Amino acid sequence: MKGILLSIFVIFLLVSCTSKTSYETRSAQLPDDIKNEIKPFPVDIKDEMLFPTKLLSEKYTVDFGYTSEPVNDPNGNIVLSYFIYADEKSDWNITINTFHNPSSPSHEFKNNEIVKLKNGIEATYSETKNGLQRVVLWTDDNSTHEISLIENPERNKPIYTKEEFLEVVSTFK
């Protein structure tokens, strides 16, 4: 009897540790107008979307958009969804692109580096020569995720380090 209960407990523990956090939980911090825009999307598309649990500052705005076939049809084939988080002081913006079919983004940097995020994901990291734009990219089973940080181009050098950016990317769920 103890063996059966232990087996059931282990199975429950494994299932709960490997299950993905629900869209509703992950998107809780989004403004209501964006949640309403996403509401008609299929569950599998919502499940592929990523949301930060930490950003580089506490005050920011968020915008959402998507590309579909037919155009602007939330019930059509959602090809790309994106969120743009912008610092209220214009120090940075972070764009989260999710290509809902594994694909390559339209641009690549020359100095790619493979990094392992704290959440266990292996990703490609790139940055521009001046470090004001950084990108992390990875593909999972059904989608490709591209997260970019763009700092204020009026600066000569970045105010955020590669490590700070990767820390933020590691919190995405």
Side-chain angles (χ1 to χ4, degrees):
M1 183 67 171
K2 286 183 182 178
I4 294 172
L5 289 175
L6 182 60
S7 297
I8 291 171
F9 175 75
V10 169
I11 291 169
F12 175 76
L13 186 61
L14 288 172
V15 168
S16 65
C17 288
T18 59
S19 65
K20 194 171 184 179
T21 308
S22 74
Y23 162 77
E24 287 76 18
T25 302
R26 293 180 297 117
S27 65
Q29 300 300 317
L30 289 176
D32 288 339
D33 60 326
I34 292 177
K35 286 183 196 175
N36 290 335
E37 193 172 351
I38 297 170
K39 196 174 196 172
F41 285 16
V43 172
D44 61 327
I45 296 296
K46 292 177 190 176
D47 286 346
E48 292 172 358
M49 292 177 175
L50 295 177
F51 304 95
T53 58
K54 174 184 176 181
L55 287 168
L56 296 168
S57 63
E58 293 187 23
K59 294 189 177 192
Y60 56 85
T61 59
V62 62
D63 194 14
F64 169 75
Y66 66 95
T67 302
S68 65
E69 297 170 355
V71 175
N72 297 328
D73 183 356
N75 298 310
N77 178 28
I78 307 297
V79 178
L80 165 73
S81 61
Y82 62 89
F83 295 90
I84 301 172
Y85 291 81
D87 177 56
E88 285 187 355
K89 292 188 268 180
S90 300
D91 283 338
W92 57 264
N93 75 46
I94 291 180
T95 302
I96 307 160
N97 290 316
T98 299
F99 301 87
H100 294 284
N101 292 307
S103 64
S104 295
S106 60
H107 65 278
E108 291 186 21
F109 296 107
K110 291 185 178 187
N111 298 323
N112 292 339
E113 171 188 350
I114 302 299
V115 295
K116 188 162 189 170
L117 303 175
K118 289 185 178 180
N119 56 13
I121 292 173
E122 282 195 13
T124 301
Y125 171 85
S126 300
E127 66 181 55
T128 56
K129 191 174 184 176
N130 64 6
L132 292 175
Q133 183 174 358
R134 304 164 192 264
V135 176
V136 174
L137 172 77
W138 73 90
T139 299
D140 57 27
D141 294 337
N142 300 312
S143 56
T144 298
H145 304 284
E146 177 188 55
I147 302 170
S148 64
L149 165 65
I150 300 173
E151 293 194 48
N152 188 328
E154 294 176 359
R155 291 201 182 81
N156 293 327
K157 61 183 183 175
I159 59 174
Y160 298 103
T161 65
K162 170 186 170 182
E163 291 73 23
E164 288 171 315
F165 176 53
L166 293 176
E167 177 75 29
V168 168
V169 173
S170 290
T171 71
F172 279 56
K173 297 190 181 287

